[in-house]
C-alpha cells in the first residue's frame, strides 16, 4: 500500500483494515516508492492502519514517514518475520503518531528517528505493544510516551530512547 503526496492534504480519513500480507517478494527494490508493506510520501494526514496481519515480508511494515504528516493510528496489527519497521522524519515536524496494541514477532530493530536538523517528532506514542525478538530505537522525540510495552527476546538493548525531551518511559517489561 502506498500513500502518495498531494497538497495541501492527502489521505484524510483513509483506513487500511483487516488485510493479510504473506510472503512478499523483493520487487520493491526496482520501484521508487515501494519500500515497505505500507509506504508513505509527504503530506498525509489522518491515516488508520488497523487489524492487519503481515507475515514473512522482507520489507519494513511501515516505511518512511516524511514531512507534513500527523494524526496516524497504527493499532491491532500482527507483524511476523520482516526486517523491522523504519519510521523517519526528514524535514518538517511530524506529530501525533500512535502505535498501540500491536504484536511484532522476529522483526529486528524498529526505529523512529529524525534526520539531522529536522524538528523533533512530537506526541509520538508507542503504548501497550508486544515486541518479541526485536528492539526499539527511538531518537528525536518530544512530548511523547513509550509505556506499558513488552519487549523480549532481543539481542540488543531492548529499548533505547535518546536525544529527546519530555518523553515518558514507564511500565515497560523487558526480558
Amino acid at each position: 500500500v502506498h500513500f502518495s503526496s498531494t497538497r495541501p492534504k492527502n489521505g484524510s480519513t483513509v483506513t487500511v483494515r483487516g488485510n493479510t500480507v504473506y510472503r512478499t517478494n523483493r520487487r520493491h527494490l526496482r520501484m521508487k516508492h515501494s519500500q515497505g508493506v505500507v509506504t508513505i510520501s509527504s503530506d498525509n494526514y489522518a491515516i488508520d492502519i488497523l487489524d492487519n496481519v503481515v507475515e514473512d515480508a522482507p520489507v519494513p511494515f511501515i516505511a518512511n514517514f516524511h514531512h507534513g504528516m500527523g494524526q496516524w493510528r497504527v493499532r491491532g496489527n500482527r507483524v511476523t518475520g520482516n526486517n523491522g519497521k523504519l519510521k523517519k522524519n526528514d524535514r518538517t515536524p511530524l506529530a501525533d503518531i500512535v502505535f498501540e496494541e500491536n504484536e511484532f514477532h522476529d522483526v529486528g530493530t524498529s526505529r523512529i528517528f529524525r534526520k539531522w536538523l529536522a524538528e523533533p517528532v512530537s506526541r509520538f506514542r508507542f503504548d501497550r505493544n508486544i515486541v518479541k525478538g526485536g528492539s526499539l530505537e527511538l531518537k528525536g522525540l518530544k512530548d511523547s510516551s513509550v509505556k506499558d510495552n513488552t519487549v523480549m527476546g532481543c539481542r540488543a538493548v531492548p529499548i533505547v530512547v535518546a536525544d529527546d525531551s519530555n518523553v515518558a518511559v514507564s511500565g515497560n517489561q523487558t526480558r
Side-chain angles (χ1 to χ4, degrees):
V1 176
H2 172 72
F3 294 102
S4 197
S5 166
T6 56
R7 296 195 180 269
K9 288 186 177 182
N10 181 46
S12 295
T13 66
V14 168
T15 301
V16 178
R17 171 179 271 156
N19 298 284
T20 299
V21 177
Y22 180 72
R23 196 175 286 166
T24 61
N25 61 30
R26 294 190 182 272
R27 182 182 174 101
H28 74 282
L29 296 173
R30 294 181 290 197
M31 313 199 62
K32 183 176 180 183
H33 285 299
S34 298
Q35 302 159 351
V37 174
V38 178
T39 306
I40 302 101
S41 284
S42 58
D43 299 302
N44 283 280
Y45 299 85
I47 306 291
D48 289 337
I49 301 174
L50 309 171
D51 306 317
N52 298 286
V53 176
V54 177
E55 294 185 12
D56 196 20
V59 295
F61 174 45
I62 298 180
N64 297 340
F65 279 133
H66 287 292
H67 62 279
M69 294 190 184
Q71 302 167 357
W72 278 70
R73 183 173 55 155
V74 181
R75 185 183 71 212
N77 300 285
R78 185 171 53 94
V79 180
T80 302
N82 72 349
N83 65 350
K85 299 150 300 296
L86 170 65
K87 296 150 295 278
K88 65 183 176 181
N89 182 26
D90 60 359
R91 287 187 287 263
T92 59
L94 176 66
D96 300 310
I97 308 295
V98 176
F99 281 74
E100 61 186 2
E101 299 172 7
N102 299 288
E103 290 188 32
F104 302 108
H105 300 268
D106 299 321
V107 294
T109 300
S110 299
R111 296 178 175 91
I112 185 159
F113 62 95
R114 65 181 170 132
K115 288 187 175 179
W116 188 65
L117 292 180
E119 293 291 320
V121 179
S122 298
R123 298 178 306 278
F124 173 79
R125 287 185 21 222
F126 195 88
D127 299 340
R128 299 180 311 282
N129 298 283
I130 297 172
V131 180
K132 294 181 180 177
S135 59
L136 300 174
E137 184 178 339
L138 308 169
K139 295 182 178 181
L141 302 179
K142 173 174 94 170
D143 302 326
S144 299
S145 73
V146 179
K147 65 180 181 179
D148 301 324
N149 300 289
T150 301
V151 182
M152 65 180 94
C154 57
R155 288 179 245 159
V157 176
I159 301 174
V160 174
V161 178
D163 188 28
D164 304 299
S165 63
N166 196 26
V167 177
V169 180
S170 64
N172 297 293
Q173 297 178 12
T174 59
R175 298 180 233 169

